[in-house]
Amino acid sequence: MGNYTTAAQKLQEELMQVIFESLGLNDNYLHEDIAEGSQVMAVNCYPACPEPDLTLGLPPHTDYGMVSTILQNHQGLQIMDRGEKWHSVPLIKGALVVLLGDHMEVLSNGIYKSVVHRVTVNTEKRRISIVSLHSLALGKKVRPASALVNEQNILSYKEGSFSDFLDFISGEDIVKEKYIDKLKINP
Ligand SMILES: O=C(O)CCC(=O)C(=O)O
Ligand SMILES: [Fe+2]
């Protein structure tokens, strides 16, 4: 697990460079903050369920961070499109799933949106996923990149940190309210 955690952090640094390049930002953008950023590992176990239509493994949500990578042993993850339709993410052996989180939506000033996802269960097989969630260090604020704020794309998000997210989930009814909506300016 230690080696996997280190490799996931290194992969995340490379992914961020590519994502920044795709946004027209310098691929060195926030380099040190990313290298010193936060990483949370979550291991999820979803037992086989006799009545999968009556429940979910994990309810719909977005991840708080910049990116999350997921290693899974069985299909079950679903993502929602902009028309609010669910799509199953296929299981590809040896492949990782990469999801963009709320802090990437903030940093890109809304050019990229965090993806709503959920987990379904199945009757046959226990599903295990190993998720690596990345953002900046606990108290470090993520804000829209100034190069992505202009007349066509006005400032649309307030700054937020991992620590702000933790305060949010300890205080709010997270089923009714979404962290990203708290950061939107004039949603
Ligand atoms: O189990 C999965 O594939 C996703 C888990 C997840 O969304 C999470 O831990 O935030
Ligand atoms: Fe998630």
PDB file of all heavy atoms in Angstrom, residues 58 61-63 68 70 99 117 131 133, ligand 2:
ATOM      1  N   LEU A  58     -22.521   3.958  -2.492  1.00  0.00           N
ATOM      2  CA  LEU A  58     -22.146   5.327  -2.101  1.00  0.00           C
ATOM      3  C   LEU A  58     -23.097   6.283  -2.818  1.00  0.00           C
ATOM      4  O   LEU A  58     -23.318   6.139  -4.022  1.00  0.00           O
ATOM      5  CB  LEU A  58     -20.700   5.575  -2.542  1.00  0.00           C
ATOM      6  CG  LEU A  58     -19.818   6.527  -1.741  1.00  0.00           C
ATOM      7  CD1 LEU A  58     -19.701   6.101  -0.282  1.00  0.00           C
ATOM      8  CD2 LEU A  58     -18.426   6.585  -2.366  1.00  0.00           C
ATOM      9  N   HIS A  61     -22.146  12.205  -5.216  1.00  0.00           N
ATOM     10  CA  HIS A  61     -21.327  13.272  -4.620  1.00  0.00           C
ATOM     11  C   HIS A  61     -20.236  13.672  -5.609  1.00  0.00           C
ATOM     12  O   HIS A  61     -20.013  12.988  -6.609  1.00  0.00           O
ATOM     13  CB  HIS A  61     -20.682  12.790  -3.305  1.00  0.00           C
ATOM     14  CG  HIS A  61     -19.657  11.716  -3.511  1.00  0.00           C
ATOM     15  ND1 HIS A  61     -19.996  10.392  -3.721  1.00  0.00           N
ATOM     16  CD2 HIS A  61     -18.299  11.761  -3.584  1.00  0.00           C
ATOM     17  CE1 HIS A  61     -18.902   9.675  -3.892  1.00  0.00           C
ATOM     18  NE2 HIS A  61     -17.852  10.484  -3.832  1.00  0.00           N
ATOM     19  N   THR A  62     -19.568  14.779  -5.310  1.00  0.00           N
ATOM     20  CA  THR A  62     -18.342  15.110  -6.033  1.00  0.00           C
ATOM     21  C   THR A  62     -17.214  15.019  -5.015  1.00  0.00           C
ATOM     22  O   THR A  62     -17.444  15.190  -3.812  1.00  0.00           O
ATOM     23  CB  THR A  62     -18.389  16.540  -6.616  1.00  0.00           C
ATOM     24  OG1 THR A  62     -18.678  17.467  -5.554  1.00  0.00           O
ATOM     25  CG2 THR A  62     -19.445  16.673  -7.701  1.00  0.00           C
ATOM     26  N   ASP A  63     -15.993  14.768  -5.482  1.00  0.00           N
ATOM     27  CA  ASP A  63     -14.853  14.763  -4.562  1.00  0.00           C
ATOM     28  C   ASP A  63     -14.384  16.212  -4.382  1.00  0.00           C
ATOM     29  O   ASP A  63     -14.519  17.031  -5.290  1.00  0.00           O
ATOM     30  CB  ASP A  63     -13.728  13.874  -5.108  1.00  0.00           C
ATOM     31  CG  ASP A  63     -14.125  12.397  -5.105  1.00  0.00           C
ATOM     32  OD1 ASP A  63     -15.133  12.042  -4.462  1.00  0.00           O
ATOM     33  OD2 ASP A  63     -13.427  11.593  -5.766  1.00  0.00           O
ATOM     34  N   SER A  68      -8.919  12.788  -8.270  1.00  0.00           N
ATOM     35  CA  SER A  68      -8.941  11.525  -7.521  1.00  0.00           C
ATOM     36  C   SER A  68      -8.622  10.423  -8.526  1.00  0.00           C
ATOM     37  O   SER A  68      -9.098  10.477  -9.660  1.00  0.00           O
ATOM     38  CB  SER A  68     -10.324  11.227  -6.944  1.00  0.00           C
ATOM     39  OG  SER A  68     -10.821  12.312  -6.216  1.00  0.00           O
ATOM     40  N   ILE A  70      -8.804   6.180  -9.039  1.00  0.00           N
ATOM     41  CA  ILE A  70      -9.512   5.021  -8.460  1.00  0.00           C
ATOM     42  C   ILE A  70      -9.037   3.726  -9.109  1.00  0.00           C
ATOM     43  O   ILE A  70      -9.016   3.616 -10.341  1.00  0.00           O
ATOM     44  CB  ILE A  70     -11.038   5.149  -8.680  1.00  0.00           C
ATOM     45  CG1 ILE A  70     -11.555   6.463  -8.084  1.00  0.00           C
ATOM     46  CG2 ILE A  70     -11.783   3.965  -8.074  1.00  0.00           C
ATOM     47  CD1 ILE A  70     -13.027   6.730  -8.358  1.00  0.00           C
ATOM     48  N   LEU A  99     -10.889  11.150 -11.747  1.00  0.00           N
ATOM     49  CA  LEU A  99     -12.030  12.064 -11.631  1.00  0.00           C
ATOM     50  C   LEU A  99     -11.527  13.449 -11.242  1.00  0.00           C
ATOM     51  O   LEU A  99     -10.610  13.576 -10.427  1.00  0.00           O
ATOM     52  CB  LEU A  99     -12.989  11.588 -10.524  1.00  0.00           C
ATOM     53  CG  LEU A  99     -13.625  10.198 -10.656  1.00  0.00           C
ATOM     54  CD1 LEU A  99     -14.532   9.935  -9.443  1.00  0.00           C
ATOM     55  CD2 LEU A  99     -14.427  10.075 -11.938  1.00  0.00           C
ATOM     56  N   HIS A 117     -20.592  11.523  -9.032  1.00  0.00           N
ATOM     57  CA  HIS A 117     -20.493  10.066  -9.189  1.00  0.00           C
ATOM     58  C   HIS A 117     -21.143   9.360  -8.003  1.00  0.00           C
ATOM     59  O   HIS A 117     -21.375   9.974  -6.958  1.00  0.00           O
ATOM     60  CB  HIS A 117     -19.034   9.629  -9.388  1.00  0.00           C
ATOM     61  CG  HIS A 117     -18.088  10.101  -8.322  1.00  0.00           C
ATOM     62  ND1 HIS A 117     -17.669  11.420  -8.197  1.00  0.00           N
ATOM     63  CD2 HIS A 117     -17.471   9.435  -7.307  1.00  0.00           C
ATOM     64  CE1 HIS A 117     -16.836  11.535  -7.182  1.00  0.00           C
ATOM     65  NE2 HIS A 117     -16.704  10.344  -6.601  1.00  0.00           N
ATOM     66  N   VAL A 131      -9.010   4.565  -3.464  1.00  0.00           N
ATOM     67  CA  VAL A 131      -9.146   5.921  -4.006  1.00  0.00           C
ATOM     68  C   VAL A 131      -8.061   6.805  -3.405  1.00  0.00           C
ATOM     69  O   VAL A 131      -7.836   6.794  -2.194  1.00  0.00           O
ATOM     70  CB  VAL A 131     -10.540   6.495  -3.649  1.00  0.00           C
ATOM     71  CG1 VAL A 131     -10.756   7.832  -4.349  1.00  0.00           C
ATOM     72  CG2 VAL A 131     -11.639   5.519  -4.021  1.00  0.00           C
ATOM     73  N   LEU A 133      -7.140  10.697  -3.118  1.00  0.00           N
ATOM     74  CA  LEU A 133      -7.719  12.039  -3.322  1.00  0.00           C
ATOM     75  C   LEU A 133      -6.644  13.103  -3.080  1.00  0.00           C
ATOM     76  O   LEU A 133      -5.968  13.083  -2.041  1.00  0.00           O
ATOM     77  CB  LEU A 133      -8.883  12.271  -2.351  1.00  0.00           C
ATOM     78  CG  LEU A 133     -10.040  11.277  -2.462  1.00  0.00           C
ATOM     79  CD1 LEU A 133     -10.173  10.443  -1.199  1.00  0.00           C
ATOM     80  CD2 LEU A 133     -11.354  11.999  -2.721  1.00  0.00           C
TER      81      LEU A 133
HETATM   82 FE    FE B   2     -15.935  10.025  -4.680  1.00  0.00          FE
END
